[in-house]
Amino acid sequence: MLQPLTPELKQALADTLAQLLNHKSQSLNQMQNQEWWQQCVQNKRLYNAYHDLAEQFYDAVGFQLEQLPDFQGCLLQQILQQGRLPIYAPVQNSPCEKHGVSKNAVEPLGFYPQPDTAQAESVHLESEQKQPLTPPNNDNQSILSEMTDLSESNSVVPTHLPLAVTTPIIEKQSSPIPDNASTSLQTGVKTVKKMPHFQIPNARVGQNYQASIQMQHPVKQDLQIHHESVRIPENLGICFDAVTQQLSGIPTQAGEFKLIFQYKTANEQAGWLSGEVTFIVTADPRSLWQVNEPDPNAMYWKANNRCQLIQAADFNIAACSQRGRSHEHAGTFRDDDFFVAQVADSNWSVLVVADGAGSAEFSREGSRVAVNTVGEYLKAFMQKQSGESDRLLAQWQVGANDDPETKNAAHQLGNQFSDAFYSAATQAIEQIEHEATRQGVASKLFATTLLFAVVRQQDNKTFISSFWVGDGAIAVYGKDRVRLMGKPDGGEFAGQTRFLDYGCLVRDFKQRVHIGYFDDAQAVILMTDGISDPRFETDAGLENQKKWQALWQEIEPHLQQEQPEQALLEWSAFFSAGHHDDRTLAILWTVSTSSIHDSSMVTEPVEINGEEHE
C-alpha cells in the first residue's frame, strides 16, 4: 500500500513544477560558471529524468497546465516538445568534446552550453536570443498549491536540482546536428499532445432542452458523434438524436453527469475517438423554496393569504393578498394587507392596500392597522358625504376642462377629499403609535406603506381620488390610456421606499392627493410592489402602456371566473426569479365594457391649486 507523501516531499514536488513552469532558474546566474553545474547540464540522463517527470505532470493535469498564462515557452513545454534524448548515438565532429563530453553524446537542445564554433552558431541561429530571468508568478503558485495540497507544508527541504534554458526551443522536425555531418542523427521533435476538452450548455430541470456537444480545446469545432456510443444516465429524461446530432428532452433531475461518447472531427480520417463531457442540470428554482409555517403562538398572527369579492350593479371589486416565497422560506408572516368596501346605498367604494416593511418586526400589524383604520374612516365619511359629492360630480363635464362650473366642482371635490385623507392618514399613524406605546417599542417597528382610493363608478364614468405613500402603484386602466394616480416613493438606494409617518403629512401631503374623472376607464388597480416590481421592473416602467396592457391580459380572464377573487389569489402566486415578496392586489372593474366611449373622448389634465386633475 502506497504511503502518503510527507509535507516535505509535497513541497519539493511543487517547487519542481513551479520551476518547470518558469522560463529560467532563479539561481542560474550564480551557478552557470561553476564546474559542478557544467557537469549537470551536460548529463543527458538527468535531462531525460526531467523529461519523464514533465511528461507525468502533463499526463495528470495537462489541460489545466495549458490554461496557465506562463505555459507557452516555459521549460515544461520545451522539454515535452524536444522529447527524450538518446543515450548512445554517435555523432562525428561533435563540438561537445571541448566541454569534456564524449563524441558519442548528442547535444540536448536548451540544456547543453552553447559551443563557440562558427559552425554551431550557424546551426542554432534561430534560437540564439536569450530569455529574461522571470520568477514564477503568484497565479502559478496558487494553482500549484491547489494541485499538490501544500497546506501542511511548512518545513524546509533540500533544494531540488535547478533547471536552466539558455535558448528557447524552436519546433523543427529535423535534428539540429549540422547538415555536413557524415553520420546524421535524425531526431524527431515531439509535439505536445493537446488533450481535447468538450462542452455542452447547461440544462434546467423541467424545461425543454436541445443542444450540441462541441469541442472547445484545442480547437473549437463541431463533432460527428456516433449515436449508439452515447452513454446517458437512465431516467435523466434526455436522449441523443442521430439526425440533429443533439441532446434533447426535459431533464428530470439536477446534478453533474458524465456523458461518454465516440466522435470524429471534420479533419479526422482515422476511426472513432473516445470523449466525455460534463453535463450540468440545474435545479428548478421553485423546488429550492421551502414552505414553512410561522409560529402560531406569535404576537400579531396573520393568515398566509386572504381574498375578498364585492359585486355591485355597475362594477365588481376583487382583492387578494398572498404571502411571498421569501416569507414562506423563512417561516415568517405576510406583511401586506388590504381593505375594500362598497359604501351602502351608493356607487362609491373604498380600496386600500399596504405593504409592511420587511425589516420592521411588527410591520404585519402596522399594515393591518393602517388599512383598517383608513378604510373604515373613509367608508363612514362617504356614507355622510356621498350626496354632496354626487351633486358636485353632476357639475363636472368630462372633457370640458375650461368650463367654469367644472373647475369649481373639481376644486371643491379636491379640497373635500384632501381634508378627509389627511384625517384618515393621521388616525392611522395615531393608532400605530398607540399600539407601539402599549407594547413598549418604537413605532418604526410597525412601518408600512399606504395606498388608497375612493372611487365612484356609474354609467361608464369613473371618478377617483387617491393618496399614495411608498412603492407599489395606483392606476386607472383604459384600453388606450393608463393614468398613474401618483408616483412611487423611491429612496436613495435600490429597494428603499417611504413609509407612512407624520413627515409625509407635513412636508408633501398635497402632492400625494390626486383626483380624476374619466369616461374611458375599464378598471381601477391598486397593488403593492410584490406585483409592480416583477411586472414593471422600474418606476419608469409604470409609465409604459404596453406593460399595463400585458398585465391586463393576464388578470382580465380571471375576472370572468365564477370566483374571481380566488382566481386572482391563485394567479398572484406566479413565479418570477428574484421577486419573492408578498403580493397584494385590489381591483375595481366595470361589469360591461361594451359601451366604453371612443378614446377620442379621453380628457386632458386640468390644473387646480397647483395639482393635476382630469
Side-chain angles (χ1 to χ4, degrees), residues 71-112:
F71 180 76
Q72 298 299 322
C74 72
L75 293 175
L76 179 62
Q77 185 189 46
Q78 295 177 33
I79 293 172
L80 291 169
Q81 289 175 334
Q82 179 168 309
R84 298 182 101 257
L85 295 177
I87 300 299
Y88 302 105
V91 179
Q92 294 181 2
N93 301 326
S94 171
C96 300
E97 291 183 1
K98 70 175 289 180
H99 294 280
V101 181
S102 167
K103 285 184 178 182
N104 293 335
V106 175
E107 177 185 352
L109 290 179
F111 279 83
Y112 197 84

mmCIF file of all heavy atoms in Angstrom, residues 71-112:
data_model
loop_
_atom_site.group_PDB
_atom_site.id
_atom_site.type_symbol
_atom_site.label_atom_id
_atom_site.label_comp_id
_atom_site.label_asym_id
_atom_site.label_seq_id
_atom_site.Cartn_x
_atom_site.Cartn_y
_atom_site.Cartn_z
ATOM 1 N N PHE A 71 2.502 28.889 -19.538
ATOM 2 C CA PHE A 71 2.818 27.587 -20.106
ATOM 3 C C PHE A 71 3.551 27.722 -21.436
ATOM 4 O O PHE A 71 4.491 26.983 -21.718
ATOM 5 C CB PHE A 71 1.542 26.767 -20.291
ATOM 6 C CG PHE A 71 1.793 25.404 -20.884
ATOM 7 C CD1 PHE A 71 2.316 24.379 -20.099
ATOM 8 C CD2 PHE A 71 1.526 25.138 -22.225
ATOM 9 C CE1 PHE A 71 2.560 23.129 -20.642
ATOM 10 C CE2 PHE A 71 1.767 23.901 -22.774
ATOM 11 C CZ PHE A 71 2.286 22.883 -21.980
ATOM 12 N N GLN A 72 3.111 28.689 -22.280
ATOM 13 C CA GLN A 72 3.753 28.856 -23.579
ATOM 14 C C GLN A 72 5.195 29.315 -23.390
ATOM 15 O O GLN A 72 5.469 30.361 -22.814
ATOM 16 C CB GLN A 72 2.980 29.881 -24.427
ATOM 17 C CG GLN A 72 1.550 29.475 -24.729
ATOM 18 C CD GLN A 72 1.495 28.169 -25.511
ATOM 19 O OE1 GLN A 72 2.324 27.916 -26.383
ATOM 20 N NE2 GLN A 72 0.508 27.341 -25.181
ATOM 21 N N GLY A 73 6.109 28.508 -23.875
ATOM 22 C CA GLY A 73 7.529 28.850 -23.830
ATOM 23 C C GLY A 73 8.231 28.462 -22.544
ATOM 24 O O GLY A 73 9.433 28.682 -22.408
ATOM 25 N N CYS A 74 7.508 27.867 -21.598
ATOM 26 C CA CYS A 74 8.155 27.507 -20.339
ATOM 27 C C CYS A 74 8.972 26.225 -20.519
ATOM 28 O O CYS A 74 8.897 25.537 -21.530
ATOM 29 C CB CYS A 74 7.116 27.337 -19.226
ATOM 30 S SG CYS A 74 6.112 25.840 -19.412
ATOM 31 N N LEU A 75 9.772 25.888 -19.491
ATOM 32 C CA LEU A 75 10.626 24.702 -19.551
ATOM 33 C C LEU A 75 9.803 23.431 -19.767
ATOM 34 O O LEU A 75 10.203 22.539 -20.515
ATOM 35 C CB LEU A 75 11.421 24.571 -18.253
ATOM 36 C CG LEU A 75 12.483 25.652 -17.992
ATOM 37 C CD1 LEU A 75 13.093 25.437 -16.615
ATOM 38 C CD2 LEU A 75 13.556 25.603 -19.050
ATOM 39 N N LEU A 76 8.667 23.359 -19.108
ATOM 40 C CA LEU A 76 7.835 22.167 -19.220
ATOM 41 C C LEU A 76 7.438 21.923 -20.672
ATOM 42 O O LEU A 76 7.554 20.808 -21.192
ATOM 43 C CB LEU A 76 6.578 22.326 -18.349
ATOM 44 C CG LEU A 76 5.586 21.168 -18.382
ATOM 45 C CD1 LEU A 76 6.228 19.897 -17.850
ATOM 46 C CD2 LEU A 76 4.342 21.519 -17.559
ATOM 47 N N GLN A 77 6.991 22.968 -21.342
ATOM 48 C CA GLN A 77 6.593 22.807 -22.741
ATOM 49 C C GLN A 77 7.799 22.466 -23.619
ATOM 50 O O GLN A 77 7.716 21.616 -24.511
ATOM 51 C CB GLN A 77 5.924 24.083 -23.239
ATOM 52 C CG GLN A 77 5.376 23.938 -24.670
ATOM 53 C CD GLN A 77 4.916 25.255 -25.235
ATOM 54 O OE1 GLN A 77 5.615 26.252 -25.120
ATOM 55 N NE2 GLN A 77 3.751 25.250 -25.865
ATOM 56 N N GLN A 78 8.922 23.115 -23.366
ATOM 57 C CA GLN A 78 10.099 22.874 -24.200
ATOM 58 C C GLN A 78 10.612 21.437 -24.053
ATOM 59 O O GLN A 78 10.998 20.798 -25.031
ATOM 60 C CB GLN A 78 11.200 23.871 -23.836
ATOM 61 C CG GLN A 78 10.818 25.308 -24.169
ATOM 62 C CD GLN A 78 11.892 26.292 -23.746
ATOM 63 O OE1 GLN A 78 13.075 25.968 -23.786
ATOM 64 N NE2 GLN A 78 11.469 27.479 -23.330
ATOM 65 N N ILE A 79 10.622 20.939 -22.830
ATOM 66 C CA ILE A 79 11.086 19.569 -22.610
ATOM 67 C C ILE A 79 10.159 18.581 -23.297
ATOM 68 O O ILE A 79 10.603 17.612 -23.939
ATOM 69 C CB ILE A 79 11.173 19.270 -21.103
ATOM 70 C CG1 ILE A 79 12.278 20.126 -20.465
ATOM 71 C CG2 ILE A 79 11.459 17.802 -20.848
ATOM 72 C CD1 ILE A 79 12.304 20.034 -18.951
ATOM 73 N N LEU A 80 8.832 18.823 -23.197
ATOM 74 C CA LEU A 80 7.869 17.928 -23.838
ATOM 75 C C LEU A 80 8.011 17.947 -25.350
ATOM 76 O O LEU A 80 7.884 16.927 -26.023
ATOM 77 C CB LEU A 80 6.447 18.321 -23.437
ATOM 78 C CG LEU A 80 6.063 18.059 -21.977
ATOM 79 C CD1 LEU A 80 4.739 18.727 -21.650
ATOM 80 C CD2 LEU A 80 5.981 16.563 -21.704
ATOM 81 N N GLN A 81 8.282 19.129 -25.911
ATOM 82 C CA GLN A 81 8.422 19.247 -27.357
ATOM 83 C C GLN A 81 9.694 18.561 -27.857
ATOM 84 O O GLN A 81 9.712 17.936 -28.911
ATOM 85 C CB GLN A 81 8.423 20.724 -27.760
ATOM 86 C CG GLN A 81 7.054 21.379 -27.620
ATOM 87 C CD GLN A 81 7.128 22.867 -27.901
ATOM 88 O OE1 GLN A 81 8.165 23.499 -27.727
ATOM 89 N NE2 GLN A 81 6.005 23.419 -28.331
ATOM 90 N N GLN A 82 10.776 18.685 -27.081
ATOM 91 C CA GLN A 82 12.054 18.107 -27.539
ATOM 92 C C GLN A 82 12.060 16.588 -27.436
ATOM 93 O O GLN A 82 12.618 15.900 -28.263
ATOM 94 C CB GLN A 82 13.204 18.689 -26.719
ATOM 95 C CG GLN A 82 14.558 18.118 -27.125
ATOM 96 C CD GLN A 82 15.700 18.906 -26.524
ATOM 97 O OE1 GLN A 82 15.733 20.112 -26.649
ATOM 98 N NE2 GLN A 82 16.608 18.216 -25.870
ATOM 99 N N GLY A 83 11.389 16.050 -26.397
ATOM 100 C CA GLY A 83 11.371 14.609 -26.214
ATOM 101 C C GLY A 83 12.617 14.102 -25.504
ATOM 102 O O GLY A 83 13.542 14.854 -25.181
ATOM 103 N N ARG A 84 12.647 12.819 -25.294
ATOM 104 C CA ARG A 84 13.803 12.212 -24.634
ATOM 105 C C ARG A 84 15.010 12.217 -25.571
ATOM 106 O O ARG A 84 14.868 12.144 -26.781
ATOM 107 C CB ARG A 84 13.501 10.776 -24.199
ATOM 108 C CG ARG A 84 12.380 10.690 -23.186
ATOM 109 C CD ARG A 84 12.149 9.254 -22.751
ATOM 110 N NE ARG A 84 12.768 8.991 -21.452
ATOM 111 C CZ ARG A 84 13.889 8.336 -21.273
ATOM 112 N NH1 ARG A 84 14.533 7.868 -22.318
ATOM 113 N NH2 ARG A 84 14.384 8.132 -20.070
ATOM 114 N N LEU A 85 16.183 12.258 -24.997
ATOM 115 C CA LEU A 85 17.422 12.226 -25.779
ATOM 116 C C LEU A 85 18.000 10.810 -25.772
ATOM 117 O O LEU A 85 18.000 10.143 -24.735
ATOM 118 C CB LEU A 85 18.443 13.194 -25.191
ATOM 119 C CG LEU A 85 18.062 14.682 -25.252
ATOM 120 C CD1 LEU A 85 19.137 15.501 -24.567
ATOM 121 C CD2 LEU A 85 17.872 15.125 -26.693
ATOM 122 N N PRO A 86 18.467 10.339 -26.938
ATOM 123 C CA PRO A 86 19.102 9.010 -26.970
ATOM 124 C C PRO A 86 20.424 9.043 -26.214
ATOM 125 O O PRO A 86 21.181 10.001 -26.290
ATOM 126 C CB PRO A 86 19.317 8.759 -28.471
ATOM 127 C CG PRO A 86 19.366 10.119 -29.081
ATOM 128 C CD PRO A 86 18.439 10.976 -28.268
ATOM 129 N N ILE A 87 20.653 7.985 -25.463
ATOM 130 C CA ILE A 87 21.890 7.930 -24.673
ATOM 131 C C ILE A 87 23.082 7.583 -25.558
ATOM 132 O O ILE A 87 24.151 8.171 -25.436
ATOM 133 C CB ILE A 87 21.759 6.895 -23.546
ATOM 134 C CG1 ILE A 87 20.601 7.294 -22.626
ATOM 135 C CG2 ILE A 87 23.070 6.806 -22.742
ATOM 136 C CD1 ILE A 87 20.775 8.621 -21.955
ATOM 137 N N TYR A 88 22.909 6.645 -26.482
ATOM 138 C CA TYR A 88 24.010 6.228 -27.347
ATOM 139 C C TYR A 88 23.641 6.527 -28.787
ATOM 140 O O TYR A 88 22.834 5.842 -29.380
ATOM 141 C CB TYR A 88 24.316 4.730 -27.183
ATOM 142 C CG TYR A 88 24.669 4.365 -25.763
ATOM 143 C CD1 TYR A 88 23.751 3.701 -24.947
ATOM 144 C CD2 TYR A 88 25.912 4.714 -25.251
ATOM 145 C CE1 TYR A 88 24.075 3.385 -23.646
ATOM 146 C CE2 TYR A 88 26.237 4.400 -23.938
ATOM 147 C CZ TYR A 88 25.311 3.740 -23.148
ATOM 148 O OH TYR A 88 25.638 3.424 -21.867
ATOM 149 N N ALA A 89 24.233 7.572 -29.320
ATOM 150 C CA ALA A 89 24.017 7.934 -30.718
ATOM 151 C C ALA A 89 25.265 8.644 -31.201
ATOM 152 O O ALA A 89 25.443 9.827 -30.975
ATOM 153 C CB ALA A 89 22.794 8.843 -30.858
ATOM 154 N N PRO A 90 26.210 7.923 -31.822
ATOM 155 C CA PRO A 90 27.499 8.516 -32.220
ATOM 156 C C PRO A 90 27.320 9.638 -33.220
ATOM 157 O O PRO A 90 26.572 9.517 -34.180
ATOM 158 C CB PRO A 90 28.250 7.335 -32.849
ATOM 159 C CG PRO A 90 27.172 6.365 -33.240
ATOM 160 C CD PRO A 90 26.092 6.515 -32.233
ATOM 161 N N VAL A 91 27.993 10.721 -32.962
ATOM 162 C CA VAL A 91 27.965 11.877 -33.850
ATOM 163 C C VAL A 91 29.408 12.279 -34.134
ATOM 164 O O VAL A 91 30.189 12.487 -33.219
ATOM 165 C CB VAL A 91 27.211 13.064 -33.194
ATOM 166 C CG1 VAL A 91 27.221 14.269 -34.111
ATOM 167 C CG2 VAL A 91 25.786 12.657 -32.851
ATOM 168 N N GLN A 92 29.756 12.380 -35.407
ATOM 169 C CA GLN A 92 31.121 12.739 -35.773
ATOM 170 C C GLN A 92 31.297 14.247 -35.661
ATOM 171 O O GLN A 92 30.364 15.006 -35.900
ATOM 172 C CB GLN A 92 31.411 12.299 -37.218
ATOM 173 C CG GLN A 92 31.393 10.780 -37.372
ATOM 174 C CD GLN A 92 31.714 10.382 -38.794
ATOM 175 O OE1 GLN A 92 31.986 11.222 -39.625
ATOM 176 N NE2 GLN A 92 31.695 9.088 -39.034
ATOM 177 N N ASN A 93 32.525 14.620 -35.325
ATOM 178 C CA ASN A 93 32.879 16.028 -35.231
ATOM 179 C C ASN A 93 31.977 16.787 -34.271
ATOM 180 O O ASN A 93 31.612 17.927 -34.499
ATOM 181 C CB ASN A 93 32.821 16.709 -36.612
ATOM 182 C CG ASN A 93 33.757 16.038 -37.595
ATOM 183 O OD1 ASN A 93 34.836 15.561 -37.209
ATOM 184 N ND2 ASN A 93 33.344 15.978 -38.855
ATOM 185 N N SER A 94 31.580 16.132 -33.205
ATOM 186 C CA SER A 94 30.702 16.795 -32.251
ATOM 187 C C SER A 94 31.456 17.875 -31.519
ATOM 188 O O SER A 94 32.578 17.670 -31.080
ATOM 189 C CB SER A 94 30.161 15.786 -31.235
ATOM 190 O OG SER A 94 29.487 16.461 -30.213
ATOM 191 N N PRO A 95 30.892 19.045 -31.412
ATOM 192 C CA PRO A 95 31.554 20.131 -30.676
ATOM 193 C C PRO A 95 31.562 19.907 -29.180
ATOM 194 O O PRO A 95 32.108 20.705 -28.438
ATOM 195 C CB PRO A 95 30.717 21.354 -31.026
ATOM 196 C CG PRO A 95 29.354 20.804 -31.305
ATOM 197 C CD PRO A 95 29.584 19.462 -31.936
ATOM 198 N N CYS A 96 30.953 18.809 -28.735
ATOM 199 C CA CYS A 96 30.858 18.580 -27.296
ATOM 200 C C CYS A 96 32.196 18.245 -26.674
ATOM 201 O O CYS A 96 32.352 18.333 -25.467
ATOM 202 C CB CYS A 96 29.875 17.451 -27.006
ATOM 203 S SG CYS A 96 28.212 17.797 -27.612
ATOM 204 N N GLU A 97 33.164 17.813 -27.485
ATOM 205 C CA GLU A 97 34.404 17.316 -26.923
ATOM 206 C C GLU A 97 35.148 18.391 -26.171
ATOM 207 O O GLU A 97 35.819 18.121 -25.186
ATOM 208 C CB GLU A 97 35.270 16.743 -28.035
ATOM 209 C CG GLU A 97 34.684 15.461 -28.627
ATOM 210 C CD GLU A 97 35.606 14.879 -29.682
ATOM 211 O OE1 GLU A 97 36.666 15.471 -29.911
ATOM 212 O OE2 GLU A 97 35.260 13.841 -30.240
ATOM 213 N N LYS A 98 35.017 19.628 -26.632
ATOM 214 C CA LYS A 98 35.774 20.674 -25.974
ATOM 215 C C LYS A 98 35.241 20.956 -24.574
ATOM 216 O O LYS A 98 35.886 21.603 -23.773
ATOM 217 C CB LYS A 98 35.769 21.954 -26.811
ATOM 218 C CG LYS A 98 34.415 22.643 -26.862
ATOM 219 C CD LYS A 98 34.500 23.969 -27.611
ATOM 220 C CE LYS A 98 35.248 24.982 -26.784
ATOM 221 N NZ LYS A 98 35.363 26.279 -27.426
ATOM 222 N N HIS A 99 34.038 20.444 -24.282
ATOM 223 C CA HIS A 99 33.474 20.618 -22.945
ATOM 224 C C HIS A 99 33.607 19.360 -22.125
ATOM 225 O O HIS A 99 32.962 19.218 -21.094
ATOM 226 C CB HIS A 99 31.994 21.011 -23.056
ATOM 227 C CG HIS A 99 31.798 22.349 -23.682
ATOM 228 N ND1 HIS A 99 31.953 23.540 -22.992
ATOM 229 C CD2 HIS A 99 31.494 22.684 -24.971
ATOM 230 C CE1 HIS A 99 31.731 24.562 -23.803
ATOM 231 N NE2 HIS A 99 31.448 24.063 -25.008
ATOM 232 N N GLY A 100 34.422 18.419 -22.606
ATOM 233 C CA GLY A 100 34.659 17.227 -21.825
ATOM 234 C C GLY A 100 33.608 16.172 -21.958
ATOM 235 O O GLY A 100 33.491 15.322 -21.093
ATOM 236 N N VAL A 101 32.810 16.212 -23.021
ATOM 237 C CA VAL A 101 31.757 15.225 -23.237
ATOM 238 C C VAL A 101 32.183 14.317 -24.364
ATOM 239 O O VAL A 101 32.803 14.748 -25.330
ATOM 240 C CB VAL A 101 30.428 15.919 -23.576
ATOM 241 C CG1 VAL A 101 29.336 14.887 -23.767
ATOM 242 C CG2 VAL A 101 30.065 16.898 -22.477
ATOM 243 N N SER A 102 31.848 13.076 -24.273
ATOM 244 C CA SER A 102 32.239 12.078 -25.267
ATOM 245 C C SER A 102 31.707 12.427 -26.631
ATOM 246 O O SER A 102 30.670 13.061 -26.790
ATOM 247 C CB SER A 102 31.703 10.702 -24.833
ATOM 248 O OG SER A 102 31.809 9.792 -25.897
ATOM 249 N N LYS A 103 32.410 11.957 -27.677
ATOM 250 C CA LYS A 103 31.956 12.151 -29.045
ATOM 251 C C LYS A 103 30.593 11.518 -29.284
ATOM 252 O O LYS A 103 29.863 11.916 -30.166
ATOM 253 C CB LYS A 103 32.963 11.549 -30.027
ATOM 254 C CG LYS A 103 34.222 12.361 -30.204
ATOM 255 C CD LYS A 103 35.077 11.713 -31.277
ATOM 256 C CE LYS A 103 36.327 12.532 -31.531
ATOM 257 N NZ LYS A 103 37.159 11.938 -32.600
ATOM 258 N N ASN A 104 30.309 10.480 -28.543
ATOM 259 C CA ASN A 104 29.040 9.777 -28.748
ATOM 260 C C ASN A 104 27.852 10.500 -28.134
ATOM 261 O O ASN A 104 26.731 10.049 -28.243
ATOM 262 C CB ASN A 104 29.115 8.373 -28.141
ATOM 263 C CG ASN A 104 30.106 7.518 -28.890
ATOM 264 O OD1 ASN A 104 30.376 7.765 -30.063
ATOM 265 N ND2 ASN A 104 30.662 6.521 -28.211
ATOM 266 N N ALA A 105 28.102 11.620 -27.470
ATOM 267 C CA ALA A 105 26.990 12.351 -26.856
ATOM 268 C C ALA A 105 26.257 13.172 -27.891
ATOM 269 O O ALA A 105 26.823 13.635 -28.851
ATOM 270 C CB ALA A 105 27.507 13.256 -25.748
ATOM 271 N N VAL A 106 24.996 13.376 -27.664
ATOM 272 C CA VAL A 106 24.172 14.249 -28.507
ATOM 273 C C VAL A 106 23.825 15.479 -27.706
ATOM 274 O O VAL A 106 23.413 15.378 -26.554
ATOM 275 C CB VAL A 106 22.875 13.535 -28.956
ATOM 276 C CG1 VAL A 106 21.983 14.487 -29.729
ATOM 277 C CG2 VAL A 106 23.218 12.343 -29.816
ATOM 278 N N GLU A 107 23.992 16.638 -28.295
ATOM 279 C CA GLU A 107 23.729 17.876 -27.571
ATOM 280 C C GLU A 107 22.232 18.019 -27.289
ATOM 281 O O GLU A 107 21.431 18.070 -28.209
ATOM 282 C CB GLU A 107 24.190 19.063 -28.415
ATOM 283 C CG GLU A 107 23.885 20.402 -27.754
ATOM 284 C CD GLU A 107 24.235 21.546 -28.665
ATOM 285 O OE1 GLU A 107 24.841 21.304 -29.718
ATOM 286 O OE2 GLU A 107 23.890 22.674 -28.310
ATOM 287 N N PRO A 108 21.838 18.081 -26.031
ATOM 288 C CA PRO A 108 20.423 18.277 -25.726
ATOM 289 C C PRO A 108 20.020 19.732 -25.943
ATOM 290 O O PRO A 108 20.657 20.634 -25.430
ATOM 291 C CB PRO A 108 20.322 17.905 -24.241
ATOM 292 C CG PRO A 108 21.684 18.124 -23.689
ATOM 293 C CD PRO A 108 22.645 17.902 -24.807
ATOM 294 N N LEU A 109 18.960 19.954 -26.712
ATOM 295 C CA LEU A 109 18.537 21.312 -27.023
ATOM 296 C C LEU A 109 18.186 22.052 -25.745
ATOM 297 O O LEU A 109 17.398 21.585 -24.939
ATOM 298 C CB LEU A 109 17.315 21.291 -27.946
ATOM 299 C CG LEU A 109 17.572 20.811 -29.378
ATOM 300 C CD1 LEU A 109 16.263 20.821 -30.151
ATOM 301 C CD2 LEU A 109 18.578 21.677 -30.073
ATOM 302 N N GLY A 110 18.752 23.229 -25.594
ATOM 303 C CA GLY A 110 18.390 24.083 -24.484
ATOM 304 C C GLY A 110 19.076 23.735 -23.186
ATOM 305 O O GLY A 110 19.034 24.500 -22.256
ATOM 306 N N PHE A 111 19.763 22.579 -23.084
ATOM 307 C CA PHE A 111 20.421 22.223 -21.849
ATOM 308 C C PHE A 111 21.931 22.188 -22.020
ATOM 309 O O PHE A 111 22.659 22.276 -21.065
ATOM 310 C CB PHE A 111 19.944 20.847 -21.350
ATOM 311 C CG PHE A 111 18.640 20.953 -20.640
ATOM 312 C CD1 PHE A 111 17.464 20.983 -21.343
ATOM 313 C CD2 PHE A 111 18.606 21.066 -19.265
ATOM 314 C CE1 PHE A 111 16.275 21.105 -20.683
ATOM 315 C CE2 PHE A 111 17.418 21.189 -18.606
ATOM 316 C CZ PHE A 111 16.234 21.205 -19.319
ATOM 317 N N TYR A 112 22.394 22.011 -23.251
ATOM 318 C CA TYR A 112 23.834 21.925 -23.471
ATOM 319 C C TYR A 112 24.388 23.324 -23.662
ATOM 320 O O TYR A 112 23.828 24.131 -24.374
ATOM 321 C CB TYR A 112 24.117 21.080 -24.712
ATOM 322 C CG TYR A 112 25.540 20.616 -24.766
ATOM 323 C CD1 TYR A 112 25.914 19.470 -24.064
ATOM 324 C CD2 TYR A 112 26.490 21.322 -25.464
ATOM 325 C CE1 TYR A 112 27.235 19.054 -24.091
ATOM 326 C CE2 TYR A 112 27.802 20.895 -25.493
ATOM 327 C CZ TYR A 112 28.177 19.762 -24.804
ATOM 328 O OH TYR A 112 29.464 19.349 -24.818
#
